[in-house]
């Protein structure tokens, strides 16, 4: 090598060597799920991180899967895990074992906990270079910043006077906590219990808790934490294509149940039929009144102003007892849900219908004190036949016809040991309720509510089948990664 070339190569080599020495200072936590598809994806990411680390150093970082850390129902909400075990000083020599919290997974050399989703793509050298810019002895909360463009119900209309002022992390890009901040949070969680009963949007709620009304650090935006691969400086990107794990599930294998009532037959059902209903081969409309022109099926359950638990369980029983045994999947939606059946066919190719699968957008209730997770109904609830069989074989039922069906289902499945499986592609609210940057790396499957929007326009803009949906060559690459 010529002297000039050697001089140019030396800084790059030194940079890599310096980065490699810092690998032991990062604990990677993949926000994984126990469902077989998601666990496999997370394990693939773990191997990729460790392989990159092996290319740089002999000392590998810790890479943990969140669903293995604890069997606690609320482990996915992260905060309840922090104070679960002994303090750092008492366990600095421990090695990780399933069931331990974050406080027993790092030693005195650790500087950062880096969280990411199973589809986050990490360039380890670039991430190390990025984190080295921040003094690890200080309290840092790092991530790609999102903000609300208008106050939204999913955030309880927080910061309604100026919603853009509060920043929270896009989990897809990865986010990091310095160890001093982690220790501070652990101490606080030990001294006072989490106040909120509901977990709706975890990334926003974690940011609120860390900020602590100004007593804690706000999110520091980090430009190298990305969700697209346009910029060469990115340390992270996100795999945003719709998953496909073989052939899409046939439409004949998906039964769609639409919950409605007589007062909405005239305005909501026409929207369903004008937009997505034509994609479904097997679809029925369940109401409190049989109207042949639609047609609707009267289940004999009186309509209720809220909850609809009695109606939902009647739908489940009808599906299990009266539909063809070869129909693998049931989807229950509201009459103001907008959904893409073609995209759902792609997504379901990644799940085993012989497993008990309960899929959709995950919320939580009372998770800090032994509560349960549930699939929020507005975005659509997807059940495998096996999940319904186990549910109805149990004695778990509605405590009243107007009980909240989605929460009762979550409670029942929790008692049966059947985990809910989260997909961020289902949405309980309207597109305007989510940051544009957040939706930009999604191929959404559903939205909910017609309030103050044109639902047909929303469907055409966000969910209508396109030539890309029909071909979607990039999803084959997703399959090949597995």
């Amino acid at each position: 090598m010529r002297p000039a070339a050697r001089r140019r190569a030396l800084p790059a080599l030194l940079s890599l060597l310096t980065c490699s020495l810092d690998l032991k200072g990062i604990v990677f936590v993949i926000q994984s799920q126990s469902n077989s598809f998601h666990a496999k994806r997370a394990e693939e990411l773990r191997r990729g991180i460790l392989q990159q680390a092996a290319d740089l150093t002999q000392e590998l970082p810790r890479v943990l899967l969140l669903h293995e850390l604890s069997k606690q129902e609320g482990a996915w909400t992260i905060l309840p895990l922090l104070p679960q075990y002994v303090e750092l000083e008492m366990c600095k020599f421990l090695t990780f074992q399933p069931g331990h919290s974050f406080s027993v997974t790092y030693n005195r050399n650790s500087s950062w906990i880096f969280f990411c989703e199973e589809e986050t793509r990490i360039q380890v050298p670039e991430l190390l270079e990025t984190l080295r810019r921040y003094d690890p002895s200080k309290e840092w909360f790092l991530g790609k910043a999102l903000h609300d463009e208008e106050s939204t119900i999913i955030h309880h209309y927080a910061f309604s006077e100026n919603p853009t002022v509060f920043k929270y992390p896009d989990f897809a890009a990865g986010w990091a906590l310095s160890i001093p901040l982690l220790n501070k949070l652990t101490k606080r969680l030990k001294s006072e219990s989490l106040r909120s009963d509901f977990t709706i949007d975890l990334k926003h709620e974690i940011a609120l808790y860390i900020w602590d009304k100004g007593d804690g650090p706000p999110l520091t935006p980090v430009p190298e934490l990305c969700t697209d691969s346009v910029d060469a400086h990115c340390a992270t990107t996100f795999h945003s294509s719709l998953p496909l794990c073989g052939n899409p599930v046939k439409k004949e294998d998906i039964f769609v149940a639409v919950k409605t009532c007589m007062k909405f037959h005239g305005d909501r059902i026409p929207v369903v039929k004008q937009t997505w209903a034509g994609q479904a081969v097997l679809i029925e409309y369940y109401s409190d009144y049989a109207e042949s022109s639609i047609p609707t099926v009267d289940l004999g359950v009186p309509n209720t102003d809220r909850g609809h638990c009695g109606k939902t369980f009647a739908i489940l029983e009808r599906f299990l007892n009266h539909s063809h045994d070869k129909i693998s999947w049931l989807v229950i939606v509201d009459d103001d849900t907008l959904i893409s059946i073609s995209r759902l066919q792609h997504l379901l190719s990644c799940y085993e219908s012989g497993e008990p699968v309960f899929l959709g957008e995950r919320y939580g209730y009372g998770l800090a004190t032994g509560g349960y997770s549930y699939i929020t109904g507005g975005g659509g609830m997807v059940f495998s036949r096996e999940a319904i069989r186990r549910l109805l074989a149990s004695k778990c039922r509605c405590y009243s016809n107007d009980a909240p069906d989605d929460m009762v289902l979550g409670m029942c499945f929790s008692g049966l040991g059947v985990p809910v499986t989260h997909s961020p592609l289902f949405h309980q609210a309207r597109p305007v309720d989510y940051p544009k940057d957040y939706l930009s790396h999604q191929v959404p499957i559903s939205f909910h509510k017609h309030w103050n929007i044109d639902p047909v326009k929303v469907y055409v803009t966000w969910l209508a089948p396109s030539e890309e949906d029909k071909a979607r060559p990039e999803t084959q690459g997703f399959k090949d990664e597995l």
Side-chain angles (χ1 to χ4, degrees):
M1 182 182 293
R2 294 181 179 180
R6 187 180 295 113
R7 284 195 298 272
R8 288 195 298 270
L10 187 58
L13 178 62
L14 289 174
S15 176
L16 282 175
L17 291 173
T18 304
C19 285
S20 68
L21 295 174
D22 290 342
L23 268 177
K24 62 182 178 294
I26 304 177
V27 178
F28 293 88
V29 179
I30 301 172
Q31 293 171 246
S32 57
Q33 302 186 70
S34 61
N35 173 272
S36 59
F37 164 65
H38 292 280
K40 188 173 183 178
R41 293 299 294 173
E43 183 59 38
E44 289 287 329
L45 177 56
R46 171 157 59 184
R47 291 176 189 168
I49 294 170
L50 292 175
Q51 183 58 56
Q52 289 189 65
D55 292 341
L56 298 175
T57 178
Q58 295 297 315
E59 189 166 359
L60 301 181
R62 300 171 189 264
V63 184
L64 312 177
L65 304 188
L66 187 59
H67 78 275
E68 294 178 348
L69 282 172
S70 174
K71 299 301 181 183
Q72 182 179 339
E73 176 77 31
W76 63 272
T77 62
I78 297 172
L79 290 176
L81 288 184
L82 301 186
Q84 189 173 340
Y85 294 93
V86 293
E87 296 290 334
L88 168 64
E89 290 77 12
M90 297 178 64
C91 39
K92 59 189 176 184
F93 301 113
L94 289 180
T95 58
F96 169 71
Q97 296 292 333
H100 286 172
S101 67
F102 304 129
S103 63
V104 301
T105 64
Y106 58 86
N107 57 35
R108 73 170 85 192
N109 294 318
S110 297
S111 300
W112 299 95
I113 306 289
F114 185 81
F115 298 89
C116 63
E117 294 189 344
E118 64 195 39
E119 299 304 328
T120 307
R121 298 293 173 258
I122 302 172
Q123 299 298 322
V124 172
E126 287 80 359
L127 179 62
L128 287 166
E129 283 294 329
T130 298
L131 293 178
R132 288 177 65 235
R133 296 206 311 268
Y134 301 90
D135 182 350
S137 67
K138 297 182 179 180
E139 295 175 2
W140 290 106
F141 175 32
L142 308 178
K144 176 188 174 182
L146 298 173
H147 65 266
D148 293 338
E149 288 147 40
E150 58 182 65
S151 60
T152 173
I153 188 172
I154 60 175
H155 296 153
H156 306 291
Y157 300 105
F159 306 96
S160 57
E161 292 185 1
N162 184 8
T164 64
V165 71
F166 185 73
K167 306 297 191 293
Y168 53 99
D170 189 336
F171 284 174
W175 54 289
L177 302 177
S178 64
I179 295 303
L181 177 56
L182 187 69
N183 289 336
K184 177 182 178 180
L185 295 174
T186 298
K187 183 177 180 180
R188 180 180 165 201
L189 286 159
K190 280 180 173 289
S191 64
E192 61 182 44
S193 59
L194 292 166
R195 298 187 184 93
S196 177
D197 286 334
F198 287 91
T199 302
I200 294 175
D201 184 5
L202 182 63
K203 55 188 178 295
H204 190 269
E205 290 155 23
I206 282 181
L208 276 176
Y209 187 84
I210 293 173
W211 178 63
D212 193 20
K213 298 180 179 179
D215 289 337
L219 179 73
T220 297
V222 178
E224 290 83 3
L225 299 181
C226 313
T227 51
D228 56 51
S229 55
V230 175
D231 297 322
H233 70 274
C234 289
T236 62
T237 56
F238 187 72
H239 190 114
S240 59
S241 64
L242 190 66
L244 177 65
C245 304
N247 293 323
V249 170
K250 295 179 181 179
K251 292 181 179 181
E252 293 80 6
D253 289 333
I254 302 173
F255 192 99
V256 183
V258 182
K259 294 186 301 180
T260 188
C261 61
M262 186 171 65
K263 68 179 179 179
F264 294 131
H265 287 186
D267 57 352
R268 293 186 180 179
I269 298 303
V271 172
V272 173
K273 294 196 170 191
Q274 187 180 348
T275 54
W276 61 267
Q279 296 182 42
V281 170
L282 302 172
I283 184 170
E284 286 189 341
Y285 301 85
Y286 297 104
S287 181
D288 56 342
Y289 177 75
E291 187 169 329
S292 59
S293 62
I294 294 175
T296 59
V297 176
D298 182 358
L299 292 169
V301 179
N303 188 56
T304 55
D305 291 333
R306 59 182 184 180
H308 312 299
C309 193
K311 180 184 292 183
T312 296
F313 269 78
I315 292 171
L316 294 170
E317 290 173 359
R318 180 181 173 91
F319 173 80
L320 192 65
N321 297 323
H322 298 290
S323 68
H324 198 289
D325 288 345
K326 291 186 178 179
I327 302 175
S328 301
W329 300 97
L330 171 66
V331 184
I332 300 181
V333 297
D334 292 346
D335 52 11
D336 57 350
T337 301
L338 300 169
I339 190 167
S340 170
I341 300 299
S342 61
R343 293 177 186 174
L344 181 61
Q345 291 174 257
H346 279 70
L347 180 66
L348 291 182
S349 71
C350 295
Y351 298 93
E352 297 291 338
S353 61
E355 295 179 1
V357 178
F358 183 35
L359 172 69
E361 184 180 16
R362 178 180 55 193
Y363 281 11
Y365 177 73
L367 290 173
T369 55
Y372 52 87
S373 306
Y374 64 98
I375 298 300
T376 181
M381 299 182 288
V382 182
F383 306 79
S384 66
R385 178 175 286 273
E386 176 61 16
I388 298 171
R389 187 194 66 76
R390 293 193 190 187
L391 173 66
L392 296 183
S394 75
K395 296 181 180 179
C396 194
R397 294 293 187 275
C398 308
Y399 52 83
S400 66
N401 278 342
D402 66 350
D405 55 352
D406 49 6
M407 296 182 70
V408 171
L409 286 167
M411 183 173 58
C412 290
F413 280 122
S414 176
L416 291 170
V418 174
V420 304
T421 299
H422 173 65
S423 171
L425 306 182
F426 296 80
H427 301 87
Q428 172 68 15
R430 309 161 301 165
V432 294
D433 292 309
Y434 302 92
K436 291 178 181 177
D437 275 355
Y438 176 68
L439 294 179
S440 68
H441 57 75
Q442 289 192 352
V443 183
I445 285 176
S446 71
F447 291 102
H448 180 227
K449 295 290 187 188
H450 295 176
W451 183 64
N452 277 0
I453 62 167
D454 177 347
V456 175
K457 183 177 180 181
V458 166
Y459 176 78
V460 170
T461 301
W462 291 97
L463 300 167
S466 63
E467 291 304 315
E468 181 184 7
D469 285 328
K470 294 174 183 176
R472 202 168 291 283
E474 73 273 20
T475 56
Q476 192 63 40
F478 186 102
K479 176 190 174 186
D480 292 341
E481 287 183 37
L482 292 176

